């Protein structure tokens, strides 16, 4: 009879990779899997297993939760641009000595014909736009629109899952939608709205990569915001399979 204790795994989720990992682990009787969602999306896609929604109250609150819930391993599978929660996870895991892995899908790589302009931040992306175009397809999410609010000459098509809140650009149309998106649909969107510049974050998601191909085929410039690096000292896995291998080795 196997008397080994059930091990508790906390997944900081909200991404496709996080849901896939939770699904892989949910049926393992040796594991208790909890996925934590930030609660910024009104109707999130819920993963398998237990789910908690909402913040922890900074690194101290997360460390307290890890300790009280007897977490044995922590996997940060948040969006590549969720920098604050990743830093909090690194601090909390170090404080309570819980093994931590960052699950980060690989970033996008430009190919032949791409006209990419890299930016270190949304503010830098906004500074590039006056020299690039006037009808902008903005796909950086609803949280950072303040960076573009001072641009009065450009018109923006803003795509996000939920409606944005001000401040945002004065000349703007909002498209509420959620990927995956097809190449045909993205190309038609660029044509219909007469887009001349695309702005995106280097999320690396295959579900939203079609816009890059559509922009390349249309000969459009693309401003790509670089993703922040993982916190110092944190191991990184590129996909759920690698994260699963790490977890098995860590808990064995």
């Amino acid at each position: 009879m196997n008397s080994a204790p059930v091990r508790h795994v906390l997944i900081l989720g909200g991404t496709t990779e996080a849901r896939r990992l939770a699904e892989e682990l949910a049926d393992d009787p040796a594991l208790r899997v909890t996925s934590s969602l930030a609660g910024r999306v009104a109707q999130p896609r819920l993963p398998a297993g237990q789910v908690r929604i909402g913040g922890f109250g900074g690194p101290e609150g997360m460390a307290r939760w890890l300790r009280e819930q007897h977490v044995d391993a922590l996997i940060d599978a948040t969006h590549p641009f969720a920098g604050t929660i990743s830093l909090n996870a690194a601090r909390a895991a170090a404080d309570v000595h819980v093994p931590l892995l960052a699950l980060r899908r690989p970033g996008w790589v430009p190919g032949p014909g791409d006209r990419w302009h890299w930016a270190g931040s949304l503010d830098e992306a906004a500074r590039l736009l006056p020299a690039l175009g006037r009808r902008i397809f903005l796909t950086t999410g609803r949280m950072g629109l303040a960076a573009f609010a001072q641009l009065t000459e450009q018109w923006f098509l803003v795509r996000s899952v939920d409606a944005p809140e001000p401040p945002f650009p004065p000349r703007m149309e909002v498209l509420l939608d959620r990927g995956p998106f097809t190449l045909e649909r993205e190309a038609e969107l660029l044509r219909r709205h007469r887009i001349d510049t695309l702005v995106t974050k280097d999320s690396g998601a295959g579900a939203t990569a079609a816009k890059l191909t559509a922009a390349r085929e249309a000969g459009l410039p693309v401003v790509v915001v670089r993703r922040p690096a993982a916190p110092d000292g944190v191991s990184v896995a590129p996909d759920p399979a690698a994260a699963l291998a790490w977890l098995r080795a860590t808990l064995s």
Side-chain angles (χ1 to χ4, degrees):
M1 179 176 179
N2 186 3
S3 59
V6 173
R7 315 299 291 277
H8 190 186
V9 179
L10 174 63
I11 300 173
L12 304 179
T15 60
T16 300
E17 291 78 13
R19 290 191 296 274
R20 289 175 180 168
L21 183 60
E23 185 175 356
E24 290 280 347
L25 300 174
D27 293 331
D28 190 333
L31 298 177
R32 171 191 169 198
V33 181
T34 302
S35 293
S36 178
L37 307 180
R40 291 181 175 178
V41 177
Q43 294 181 323
R45 294 172 175 169
L46 297 180
Q50 300 178 3
V51 178
R52 70 174 299 279
I53 296 179
F56 289 91
E60 296 81 7
M62 187 183 297
R64 182 167 55 253
W65 198 93
L66 294 174
R67 189 180 300 109
E68 292 175 350
Q69 297 297 320
H70 305 289
V71 172
D72 296 289
L74 172 60
I75 298 179
D76 173 14
T78 55
H79 191 276
F81 283 83
T84 298
I85 187 66
S86 293
L87 290 173
N88 289 349
R91 288 181 55 187
D95 286 347
V96 297
H97 306 291
V98 169
L100 168 63
L101 177 76
L103 173 52
R104 294 286 183 270
R105 65 178 80 114
W108 287 318
V109 178
D114 282 321
R115 298 172 56 197
W116 287 15
H117 301 261
W118 290 97
S121 65
L122 291 175
D123 289 333
E124 184 179 347
R127 290 194 293 270
L128 293 174
L129 288 181
L132 294 176
R134 298 178 64 86
R135 295 185 65 83
I136 316 299
F137 186 21
L138 190 58
T139 64
T140 56
R142 66 186 179 93
M143 303 301 293
L145 296 185
F148 305 90
Q150 81 282 3
L151 296 177
T152 59
E153 298 299 320
Q154 280 71 29
W155 177 88
F156 290 87
L157 176 64
V158 175
R159 183 165 66 192
S160 63
V161 176
D162 292 319
E165 298 178 357
F168 42 58
R171 303 177 63 215
M172 180 184 76
E173 179 179 332
V174 177
L175 175 61
L176 299 182
D177 206 351
R178 190 200 303 256
F181 304 107
T182 65
L183 174 58
E184 293 75 15
R185 185 176 175 188
E186 297 290 66
E188 192 277 333
L189 193 69
L190 298 180
R191 288 192 299 268
R192 173 158 43 94
H193 292 280
R194 295 180 288 115
I195 299 299
D196 59 24
T197 306
L198 169 66
V199 181
T200 189
K201 292 178 177 178
D202 181 20
S203 65
T208 58
K211 61 190 172 188
L212 298 172
T213 304
R216 179 196 310 133
E217 293 181 352
L220 304 184
V222 180
V223 178
V224 184
V225 181
R226 297 184 189 275
R227 61 173 63 180
D232 291 341
V234 176
S235 299
V236 178
D239 52 46
L244 184 60
W246 173 88
L247 184 63
R248 299 301 187 197
T250 298
L251 298 182
S252 63

